[in-house]
Amino acid sequence: MIGGGIVLTVIAVLLVAVGTRFLQTKGWSAPIPRPDGGYLSGGETDTEHAEKQSGLLRWLTTVDHKDIGVLYLVFGTVAALWGGTEAMMIRTELLTPTADVWTAATYNGLFTTHGITMLFFFVTPVFFGIANYFLPLLLNADDMAFPRINAIAFWMLPPSLLLARAGLPADALGKLLSTVGVKIPFLEALHPPETGWTLYAPLSIQSGNPQVDLLLLGLHLSGIATTLGAINFIITVVSERGDDIGWPDIDIFSWTMLSTSGIVLFAFPLLGSAVIMMLLDRNFGTTFYLIEGGGPILWQHLFWFFGHPEVYIIFLPATGLVSTILPKFSSRKLFGFKFIVYSTLAIGVLSFGVWAHHMFSTGIDPRVRASFMFVSLAIAVPSAVKVFNWISTMYDGRIRLTAPMIFAVGSIGTFILGGVTGVFLAAIPIDLVVHDTYFVVGHFHFIVMGIIPMMMFAASYYWYPIITGRMYDQLLARLQAVLTIVGVPITFGSMLIMGALGLPRRYANYPDQFALLQQIASVGAFIIGIGVLLWLWNMVQSYRVGPRVRDADVWQLKRDDAFTREWQWFEEKLADRYGTDGGDPDDD
C-alpha cells in the first residue's frame, strides 16, 4: 500500500516536471511566489502594480501601500468625526448640573462609545494610514512586505467598527422597518453599551444588552487587524529597506512605528484572549471574571496589561512625527537622534510594567503597589529625554511658524502638562485621592487630545502636497492650529481643577458649584470642534481647488539639507507628471 503511494507520488512529480518544461519551451514562465502567499503574474518581479482599476473597483481591490494608507486615513477620519460628535454631545449635557439634555442612560452610552471609537477606530488606524503611505517611501522600499495581508488587515476594520457601534444603526434600522410594519426584536434590543470603555466586570457580564457581545466581537476583530498591520510594519522595516539604508540610516518615524508594532504584537493578542473569556462568561456560564472563578479583578489585570501599552501604541507615533517635523521648521538637525531612538525603545519595554498603577485603589498588596509606582515614575525619564531633545533642537534655530510647526510646538506643551499630571497619578498617595475623578480625564486627554491629534493635524498639513499634489490654505491652517492649542488647555485644564476639587467622573448629574468649570470646559471643547471643522473644510476644499504643486521643495528643505526621501520621491513624480521644464500638465 505504502509502496504504491510512493510510486504514484514519483509519477506525479515527473509529470509536473515534464509539463513545466514543456510549457517553458512554449514561452510560458512559472508564476513567481510572493512573500504573502500570492503570485505575481506575467513575470512581474517587483511590486510595481499593474494598471490600477478605475473608480470604486480600484479602492476595493487595491494592494498599493499608498492607496491602503489613504483608505486608513479616510476610515480614521470618519470614526473621529463620529466619536467627536459624541464628545460634543457629552459636553452639551454637562453645560447644566442636571441631566436635562440627554437621559442618564444616553449619557452613559455616549462616553462608552466615544472612548472605544476614538481609541480603537480613530487613533490607531490614522497612524497606520500615515505609516502605510510613508514608511515604504522613507525606507526606499517598493511596497509593504505583505501587500495583500495589508489590504486584508484594513478591510477587517469597517465590519469591526459596525459590530462595535451596531447599537445606533440597529436602532435606526429597527425604527425604519417598523414604519412599514416589519418588526425585528433583535434590532430593537440593541442599544449602545453603558459599561464604560474599560468594560469592567461584573457590570459588563451582567448587562443584558446583546450589543455588548457585538462590541466584544468587534474589538476582537479590530485586534486581529491591528496585529496583522503591525507584523507587516516590522517585516517591512527589517527586510524591505532599500540597499542604501542600513539600521543607522532609518528615520525617526520608522523607528517609532517599529517600536509601536512591537508593543502591538504583545498587547493586542492578550486583549483578544481576554474578550473571548468575557464572551464565554456572558454566554456559556464560565466564571473567568466572576467571584466563583478568577474574580472581577482578573479582568482589570488583563485589560490594563493591554490598556496601558495601548496608550504608548498611540503615543509613540505622535512623538515620531514631532521628531520628524520639528527639525524641518527649526532649520536644524534633530538633537540627540540616538538618544531619542533609545528612549523610544525604553518606553516600548517599560510600557508593559506599569499596568497596575491603574489599580492602586483596588486593595492590592502594598508591596506590589510600590513596585508599580517605581516603574511608572521611571517611564517619565525616557519621556523627558524626548522633550529635552525637542527643545534643544529648536534652541538657536531659524523657526518658521507654519501650521505643522505651530502644532508641533503646541504638542510639546500639552505633552508636558499631560506627563507631569501623569507623574502625580503614578504616586500612590495622590492617586488614592484623585482616583476616578475628572483629574484622570484631564490628564489622559492632555495626551490623547493634545499631542496625538495635534501631530496628526501637523502631518496632514506637512505631507498634504505629496498626498494630493495640491497646496492648502495656510492662513486657515494656522488659525485652526491656534484654536486647537487654545481649546485644549481650557477644556482639560478645567477638568484637572474639578478633579482636584473631588468631582467624580462619568456622572450625568453633578453639584451646582461645579457648573461654571463644566461650562468653561464645554466652551473649550466647542472651540476645538470649530477648529476640526475648519481643518475638514481646508482638506476637502483644497483637494478640489487648491493650487497645484509644481516644485517639490514646498518647505525649502533643500536649503537646510533636509530634503528627505519621501520628498525626493515626490520630486521624481512631479518630473514625470509635468516634465523637468515645469510646463503645464495636460490635465491642468
Side-chain angles (χ1 to χ4, degrees):
M1 191 73 178
I2 296 175
I6 294 174
V7 171
L8 287 174
T9 303
V10 172
I11 293 173
V13 170
L14 288 174
L15 286 174
V16 170
V18 171
T20 303
R21 181 62 183 160
F22 172 76
L23 290 172
Q24 285 175 340
T25 60
K26 300 296 182 184
W28 175 85
S29 60
I32 302 167
R34 294 180 61 149
D36 60 355
Y39 290 91
L40 292 169
S41 60
E44 191 179 1
T45 56
D46 56 26
T47 52
E48 285 186 9
H49 305 284
E51 184 99 13
K52 290 180 180 177
Q53 304 283 349
S54 60
L56 181 63
L57 195 59
R58 166 191 170 183
W59 295 102
L60 293 174
T61 59
T62 183
V63 293
D64 186 323
H65 70 94
K66 297 187 292 298
D67 290 348
I68 300 291
V70 172
L71 288 171
Y72 267 112
L73 293 174
V74 172
F75 174 85
T77 302
V78 171
L81 293 175
W82 194 352
T85 302
E86 289 166 334
M88 296 299 111
M89 293 171 71
I90 292 170
R91 293 316 313 174
T92 303
E93 171 55 56
L94 295 173
L95 282 170
T96 57
T98 55
D100 46 10
V101 179
W102 319 111
T103 65
T106 301
Y107 178 82
N108 291 343
L110 283 172
F111 73 68
T112 299
T113 52
H114 165 72
I116 288 170
T117 304
M118 290 309 214
L119 286 173
F120 290 93
F121 300 107
F122 159 46
V123 180
T124 307
V126 166
F127 281 136
F128 273 35
I130 295 172
N132 256 291
Y133 200 105
F134 288 102
L135 222 59
L137 302 183
L138 292 167
L139 296 170
N140 200 18
D142 291 332
D143 202 325
M144 299 294 288
F146 308 117
R148 298 183 192 187
I149 291 178
N150 201 28
I152 292 170
F154 168 76
W155 285 110
M156 284 183 180
L157 284 178
S160 66
L161 175 62
L162 287 178
L163 281 171
R165 299 299 314 269
L168 183 61
D171 190 41
L173 181 61
K175 289 177 179 174
L176 182 65
L177 292 175
S178 67
T179 59
V180 294
V182 178
K183 282 193 170 294
I184 302 178
F186 178 72
L187 292 179
E188 295 174 358
L190 293 177
H191 304 287
E194 302 170 25
T195 56
W197 77 276
T198 52
L199 291 164
Y200 277 171
L203 176 62
S204 53
I205 295 174
Q206 295 169 346
S207 172
N209 184 358
Q211 174 55 37
V212 176
D213 294 314
L214 297 182
L215 169 61
L216 293 171
L217 289 171
L219 292 181
H220 191 58
L221 192 59
S222 77
I224 295 172
T226 305
T227 305
L228 289 177
I231 292 171
N232 225 338
F233 289 135
I234 292 172
I235 304 300
T236 301
V237 174
V238 171
S239 65
E240 296 297 313
R241 303 191 309 272
D243 296 335
D244 58 332
I245 300 178
W247 284 102
D249 307 313
I250 296 177
D251 64 284
I252 192 68
F253 181 67
S254 299
W255 272 113
T256 55
M257 285 308 302
L258 182 63
S259 302
T260 297
S261 302
I263 302 174
V264 167
L265 218 53
F266 290 96
F268 269 88
L270 184 133
L271 173 70
S273 304
V275 299
I276 289 296
M277 287 192 284
M278 181 165 281
L279 275 169
L280 295 174
D281 275 7
R282 281 180 56 82
N283 298 286
F284 296 98
T286 56
T287 58
F288 290 109
Y289 305 124
L290 298 180
I291 296 296
E292 301 88 332
I297 203 75
L298 175 61
W299 168 260
Q300 293 194 32
H301 277 297
L302 294 178
F303 180 83
W304 286 116
F305 188 79
F306 151 80
H308 205 86
E310 163 70 3
V311 173
Y312 294 100
I313 288 170
I314 61 179
F315 164 70
L316 284 179
T319 66
L321 291 173
V322 176
S323 300
T324 299
I325 294 173
L326 193 77
K328 303 294 192 300
F329 299 101
S330 300
S331 299
R332 293 196 62 191
K333 300 285 186 187
L334 180 64
F335 182 84
F337 180 93
K338 286 184 180 177
F339 291 99
I340 289 190
V341 172
Y342 296 152
S343 69
T344 301
L345 298 175
I347 288 174
V349 174
L350 290 172
S351 66
F352 286 98
V354 299
W355 83 87
H357 79 228
H358 291 271
M359 301 156 62
F360 282 162
S361 63
T362 58
I364 57 177
D365 190 315
R367 291 165 296 183
V368 175
R369 288 195 309 194
S371 63
F372 278 97
M373 181 179 76
F374 174 77
V375 179
S376 300
L377 293 173
I379 206 169
V381 175
S383 303
V385 167
K386 291 181 181 298
V387 174
F388 173 77
N389 282 276
W390 292 334
I391 294 174
S392 300
T393 301
M394 287 189 290
Y395 179 74
D396 205 24
R398 190 171 61 251
I399 306 294
R400 289 182 287 156
L401 290 179
T402 60
M405 185 62 176
I406 295 172
F407 270 120
V409 175
S411 295
I412 297 173
T414 56
F415 174 55
I416 291 173
L417 287 169
V420 170
T421 50
V423 171
F424 292 159
L425 290 172
I428 296 170
I430 300 176
D431 182 79
L432 293 178
V433 174
V434 298
H435 179 75
D436 253 347
T437 69
Y438 268 92
F439 190 90
V440 177
V441 184
H443 150 70
F444 183 59
H445 279 80
F446 263 113
I447 304 294
V448 298
M449 188 52 232
I451 181 172
I452 291 172
M454 280 190 188
M455 290 318 300
M456 289 178 180
F457 287 133
S460 71
Y461 290 130
Y462 177 61
W463 282 319
Y464 190 82
I466 292 182
I467 297 175
T468 66
R470 294 180 183 270
M471 197 60 188
Y472 55 84
D473 186 329
Q474 297 197 56
L475 179 61
L476 201 60
R478 283 194 284 266
L479 175 62
Q480 188 245 331
V482 171
L483 284 176
T484 307
I485 292 171
V486 169
V488 167
I490 291 176
T491 305
F492 306 113
S494 303
M495 292 184 184
L496 290 177
I497 297 172
M498 286 188 280
L501 294 174
L503 181 63
R505 60 175 173 167
R506 296 181 174 174
Y507 283 86
N509 301 286
Y510 58 86
D512 291 344
Q513 62 264 34
F514 292 101
L516 179 60
L517 283 168
Q518 288 281 27
Q519 289 161 1
I520 291 173
S522 294
V523 169
F526 297 149
I527 291 173
I528 297 171
I530 292 170
V532 171
L533 293 178
L534 288 180
W535 171 83
L536 189 62
W537 168 266
N538 203 352
M539 292 291 106
V540 175
Q541 190 67 2
S542 299
Y543 180 71
R544 290 180 60 243
V545 297
R548 290 186 184 275
V549 174
R550 298 172 186 278
D551 180 2
D553 194 11
V554 179
W555 304 117
Q556 291 84 50
L557 300 178
K558 289 181 178 176
R559 181 185 57 190
D560 302 316
D561 194 23
F563 198 68
T564 42
R565 296 184 189 94
E566 79 276 26
W567 292 104
Q568 294 168 19
W569 171 85
F570 183 48
E571 188 172 49
E572 293 172 7
K573 186 179 172 185
L574 288 181
D576 291 341
R577 180 181 301 173
Y578 298 122
T580 53
D581 60 352
D584 292 335
D586 296 336
D587 59 343
D588 202 357

